[in-house]
Amino acid sequence: MKTQSAHGIKAHPVSVDPTQMVQAIKAALLKLNPVVAARSPVMFVVLLGTVISVWQLFAMGASHSQFYFTLAVAVILLATVLFANFAESIAEARGRGQAANLRSARAELMARRVVDNGEEKISASMLRKDDLVRVAANELIPADGEIIEGIASINEAAVTGESAPVLREAGTDRSGVIGGTKVLTDEILVRVSSDPGHSVLERMIELVEGASRLKTPNELALTVLLSAMTLAFLVVVVALPFIASFVGAKVDVVILIALLVCLIPTTIGGLLPAIGIAGMNRALQANVIAKSGKAVELAGDIDTLMLDKTGTITYGDRQATEFMPLAGVTKAQLRDAALLSSLADPTPEGKSIVALARKQGSTTEDPADPHYILFSAQTRMSGVDIGERRIRKGAGDSIERWAKEQGSQTDLAELHAWVEKVARGGATPLVVAEGRHLLGVIALSDVVKAGVRERFAGLRALGVKTIMITGDNPITAPAIAATAGVDDFIAEATPEDKLKRIRDEQVLGKLVAMVGDGTNDAPALAQADIGLAMNAGTQAAKEAGNMVDLDSDPTKLLSIVEIGKQLLITRGALTTFSLANDVAKYFAIIPAVFAAQLPVLSALDVMKLSSPNNAVLAALIFNALIIPVLIPLALRGISFKPSSASDLLRRNLLVYGLGGVLLPFVCIKLIDQILVAVIGA
């Protein structure tokens, strides 16, 4: 996906290979099936008009004076339906092309399934949810799943396109693996997460191909509106002969069909499915698997965006940079206690503490028979019990409470001073305690990602509020929030805090999006209107979210919001253009129908077209040709810059509203002149 923080999201280039073109043409012909055509009421009416025109041809015979005119109308109407079918088919063909790339990673694989008496080698297609498979170095992972034992370096290039290996480990928030990817080192035990044909990746393949695509709520609402407009115009056109008879006028059936087709919103009716499918394709281009088209569309309506600080706003590789002992505590005491409390800490922060302690000369050996206390979002601390020694490190308030429970009576003024100093410098302070004794502070430094502030400013211009979620204390959090340019933050956040804030926003009528990767994020991901789960995350997180990022990049949520915005703007702009077109076509057809018999209506003939028949043909030709002309725009999406709703509306009305009115006048007049040159007035 191409984005620019300062200039907004660009349109995606459209590339269609010859194979996709042939597939689209075949599919367009197959969609002439009335059962298939009925899914689009607008185009079904055009198809019905084509059938009636053909019937008229057979009824009047070749000698009839209007035979060739009727033939031309029938051909143009058929072309209109085919162009509309082609728009949807080419979008589906591009989706199938993307799906083929995904399927290349889903070739027939073999699996070593764990059974009671050992292992059995079977086809990956025979695996079922909750089966256990063992995968060793240089073997392909046979199915999507979660590592429950082991740690491995994995090459995910076949699916994500990223050649750099990634580390996946059991019992962490990065335990998810993708079928078709390759284990480079070590051996892992994987629990399969879905039955064949029901993986997230396979569901996405079906969606982008259009096979199981359901209309999104906005698309469905627009379809209902277009259907209502079509029905209204149908009633009017059917009533016209009866009305005309009262004033002595006669209206030809073919002319009535042409009038109906030109008045109903055929342009947007033909392009609407293509716009929806293209939105799904753009999400997939960004390596994001949406479980439904609704999720992509809904992203465009998001009011509040909640993001974790670490890995999203900051680089996420916080490193221990300094040990700050309290009075009466030596640096060696703090250093060694911090090292012991971090030996079983699998996080980059924990490993950096061990590395810094060793670098500064710690010779403390691994303890015998330790009992490690793992970090949890609820306690916000970790540590180790070694005999009578109880060492903990974690967030300042959590460690203070724990130390008090152990009987601590330490004056907290010095500790708070160190914590505040570290926090005000934009680093994260961790407090270390041994029993009732507070030992000091560890400084963890992180850096805000370049360009994040500009992207948040762009989202703010689109009316999206950004909220940073962090476990940092209330002193550090404001410093990071100010640097990143977010609108609000939640400090010392627990899973309950995330869930409560999402619900609070939703009570206010806001649509909320958030990103997460751990099991503790699952409730919030499920509660949010848009939940983006990391593919490397736990199975619980992926099941709770309605989108999965194959790259496991938390910043991807920003791109998803922009894709959703682009989808909505594209649909809105082309709808405006289509409805505006009808105004000009009205002034081409109405004089052709009535002016000759009712001279009083000649004032409507503002276009001064050469003849009634040429006027009808010119309007129909424009009506047919504008659909394929707009197909590239529907597929790539409209470029836009982050701006307010009023600015977007103003641009929409000026460019696509006014342009939609003026362009048909020019084009219909030009086509009329060409018809005069070819067939005469």
Side-chain angles (χ1 to χ4, degrees):
M1 174 171 181
K2 298 180 179 180
T3 58
Q4 292 183 355
S5 56
H7 306 290
I9 180 172
K10 291 184 175 182
H12 295 256
V14 178
S15 59
V16 182
D17 61 42
T19 303
Q20 292 176 352
M21 187 70 71
V22 173
Q23 290 175 347
I25 292 172
K26 290 180 179 177
L29 293 171
L30 293 174
K31 290 180 185 291
L32 291 174
N33 183 336
V35 177
V36 178
R39 294 182 302 182
S40 174
V42 176
M43 301 315 302
F44 182 75
V45 169
V46 181
L47 180 61
L48 188 61
T50 306
V51 173
I52 296 173
S53 298
V54 172
W55 178 79
Q56 283 286 101
L57 281 174
F58 286 105
M60 64 178 57
S63 59
H64 197 280
S65 60
Q66 291 290 86
F67 178 84
Y68 291 104
F69 170 73
T70 305
L71 176 63
V73 170
V75 171
I76 296 169
L77 293 181
L78 178 61
T80 303
V81 179
L82 288 173
F83 287 150
N85 291 346
F86 179 76
E88 181 177 8
S89 299
I90 198 67
E92 292 174 350
R94 294 179 72 217
R96 281 192 290 271
Q98 291 177 289
N101 293 333
L102 292 176
R103 283 201 178 96
S104 65
R106 315 283 298 179
E108 183 60 31
L109 302 174
M110 300 302 292
R112 290 190 290 136
R113 183 168 63 183
V114 177
V115 293
D116 293 337
N117 57 352
E119 296 179 358
E120 62 175 356
K121 195 168 185 178
I122 63 170
S123 170
S125 61
M126 297 175 63
L127 292 172
R128 296 295 182 267
K129 185 178 181 180
D130 294 328
D131 280 350
L132 299 180
V133 294
R134 198 171 298 279
V135 191
N138 297 315
E139 292 182 346
L140 296 176
I141 298 172
D144 296 354
E146 186 169 7
I147 301 174
I148 61 172
E149 184 182 296
I151 180 173
S153 178
I154 297 174
N155 184 347
E156 297 181 344
V159 175
T160 67
E162 178 55 57
S163 59
V166 295
L167 195 66
R168 300 286 180 258
E169 183 177 1
T172 70
D173 289 344
R174 302 186 71 80
S175 59
V177 291
I178 313 171
T181 57
K182 187 176 185 178
V183 175
L184 301 178
T185 63
D186 303 291
E187 185 175 276
I188 54 177
L189 184 65
V190 177
R191 178 184 286 116
V192 178
S193 60
S194 62
D195 293 324
H198 295 282
S199 71
V200 174
L201 200 61
E202 287 164 329
R203 290 204 301 270
M204 183 60 183
I205 290 172
E206 292 180 351
L207 285 167
V208 298
E209 288 181 334
S212 63
R213 194 183 80 91
L214 299 175
K215 291 182 178 180
T216 63
N218 283 347
E219 187 179 349
L220 191 60
L222 185 56
T223 300
V224 172
L225 174 62
L226 298 180
S227 301
M229 292 177 62
T230 301
L231 181 61
F233 282 122
L234 182 61
V235 171
V236 170
V237 170
V238 170
L240 274 177
F242 301 99
I243 298 172
S245 64
F246 285 104
V247 294
K250 186 179 180 182
V251 186
D252 186 74
V253 172
V254 176
I255 295 291
L256 285 176
I257 293 171
L259 175 63
L260 176 62
V261 170
C262 286
L263 289 183
I264 62 177
T266 51
T267 304
I268 187 61
L271 295 174
L272 192 57
I275 296 170
I277 297 171
M280 297 289 293
N281 292 346
R282 286 195 289 275
L284 188 55
Q285 284 174 350
N287 266 355
V288 172
I289 296 174
K291 296 182 181 179
S292 70
K294 178 183 176 181
V296 178
E297 182 180 88
L298 199 60
D301 286 326
I302 286 300
D303 302 297
T304 303
L305 190 60
M306 296 180 61
L307 308 100
D308 280 320
K309 183 201 75 174
T310 306
T312 306
I313 295 173
T314 63
Y315 284 102
D317 55 350
R318 294 186 299 181
Q319 301 291 304
T321 54
E322 191 175 357
F323 296 114
M324 303 172 181
L326 298 180
V329 181
T330 67
K331 198 166 189 175
Q333 284 178 295
L334 172 61
R335 180 192 66 201
D336 293 345
L339 183 147
L340 289 169
S341 69
S342 303
L343 288 174
D345 188 342
T347 64
E349 294 88 345
K351 293 175 181 177
S352 76
I353 292 172
V354 174
L356 181 63
R358 296 296 189 197
K359 183 180 179 181
Q360 293 189 0
S362 177
T363 57
T364 300
E365 298 181 356
D366 291 359
D369 196 26
H371 175 64
Y372 291 108
I373 310 299
L374 300 180
F375 177 86
S376 74
Q378 284 75 27
T379 64
R380 297 169 56 239
M381 63 181 178
S382 60
V384 63
D385 293 341
I386 308 169
E388 297 298 320
R389 297 183 68 184
R390 306 182 71 192
I391 305 171
R392 299 290 187 271
K393 77 170 191 301
D397 59 331
S398 297
I399 297 297
E400 287 178 26
R401 284 194 299 270
W402 182 82
K404 286 181 181 179
E405 291 171 1
Q406 310 307 308
S408 174
Q409 296 181 353
T410 305
D411 183 6
L412 300 177
E414 184 187 6
L415 177 67
H416 291 168
W418 278 119
V419 168
E420 186 171 349
K421 180 180 178 182
V422 172
R424 291 196 184 282
T428 300
L430 290 183
V431 177
V432 181
E434 181 171 347
R436 61 188 179 87
H437 300 291
L438 293 164
L439 302 182
V441 178
I442 309 169
L444 298 176
S445 299
D446 200 357
V447 180
V448 174
K449 291 181 177 181
V452 166
R453 186 181 184 90
E454 289 76 14
R455 295 194 72 178
F456 286 153
L459 289 172
R460 191 177 300 109
L462 291 170
V464 179
K465 178 182 179 181
T466 52
I467 301 175
M468 181 184 76
I469 306 168
T470 178
D472 291 337
N473 62 62
I475 300 175
T476 304
I480 302 277
T483 304
V486 295
D487 299 308
D488 199 0
F489 63 88
I490 307 173
E492 298 179 340
T494 65
E496 292 77 15
D497 293 332
K498 299 178 187 178
L499 194 58
K500 182 179 181 302
R501 184 58 181 268
I502 292 172
R503 287 171 174 168
D504 289 345
E505 293 287 328
Q506 290 173 333
V507 167
L508 298 173
K510 308 291 187 181
L511 294 179
V512 182
M514 79 157 287
V515 61
D517 58 2
T519 300
N520 65 324
D521 291 323
L525 287 169
Q527 181 66 38
D529 300 285
I530 294 293
L532 178 65
M534 304 294 99
N535 191 66
T538 63
Q539 189 61 30
K542 287 188 284 187
E543 289 178 355
N546 46 22
M547 289 187 178
V548 178
D549 177 27
L550 295 178
D551 297 327
S552 298
D553 177 8
T555 61
K556 194 66 67 64
L557 188 55
L558 302 176
S559 298
I560 292 300
V561 171
E562 291 174 336
I563 289 173
K565 292 286 185 187
Q566 187 182 47
L567 172 62
L568 294 177
I569 288 172
T570 301
R571 185 185 294 142
L574 292 182
T575 300
T576 302
F577 183 84
S578 177
L579 297 179
N581 276 190
D582 294 338
V583 176
K585 290 181 289 186
Y586 170 89
F587 283 101
I589 295 290
I590 292 297
V593 177
F594 294 111
Q597 302 178 61
L598 301 172
V600 70
L601 296 179
S602 59
L604 295 174
D605 190 16
V606 297
M607 301 181 71
K608 306 298 181 185
L609 301 179
S610 59
S611 70
N613 282 2
N614 282 357
V616 172
L617 292 177
L620 288 177
I621 291 171
F622 172 82
N623 192 63
L625 292 180
I626 198 63
I627 295 176
V629 168
L630 292 177
I631 288 176
L633 186 62
L635 295 182
R636 69 172 183 263
I638 292 173
S639 300
F640 74 95
K641 296 179 180 179
S643 55
S644 66
S646 59
D647 289 339
L648 288 173
L649 179 61
R650 192 179 301 109
R651 178 195 177 194
N652 190 35
L653 292 176
L654 181 63
V655 177
Y656 297 97
L658 184 60
V661 172
L662 297 178
L663 181 65
F665 278 96
V666 175
C667 292
I668 290 174
K669 185 67 176 179
L670 179 61
I671 295 170
D672 177 67
Q673 295 302 308
I674 295 173
L675 290 174
V676 170
V678 174
I679 62 176

